[in-house]
Amino acid sequence: MDAEAQENFREFVANRSSALLRTAVLLSGGDRHAAEDLLQ
């Protein structure tokens, strides 16, 4: 992955982190700690 793609991915995660965390909570059965681990 080149530098531009990495920066684009970082921006995506920064902009969508709350939605990604909500999805991870759903995928982990409501366990927020597991969801945070999944998101990392």
Side-chain angles (χ1 to χ4, degrees), residues 2-23:
D2 63 7
E4 182 179 353
Q6 287 180 347
E7 183 59 28
N8 289 340
F9 182 72
R10 284 187 192 103
E11 288 179 22
F12 169 78
V13 172
N15 292 332
R16 303 292 298 163
S17 62
S18 62
L20 291 169
L21 181 58
R22 285 192 304 269
T23 302

Side-chain angles (χ1 to χ4, degrees), residues 19-40:
L20 291 169
L21 181 58
R22 285 192 304 269
T23 302
V25 168
L26 292 173
L27 290 172
S28 65
D31 184 341
R32 184 173 173 93
H33 294 292
E36 290 171 353
D37 288 343
L38 179 62
L39 187 55
Q40 288 181 8

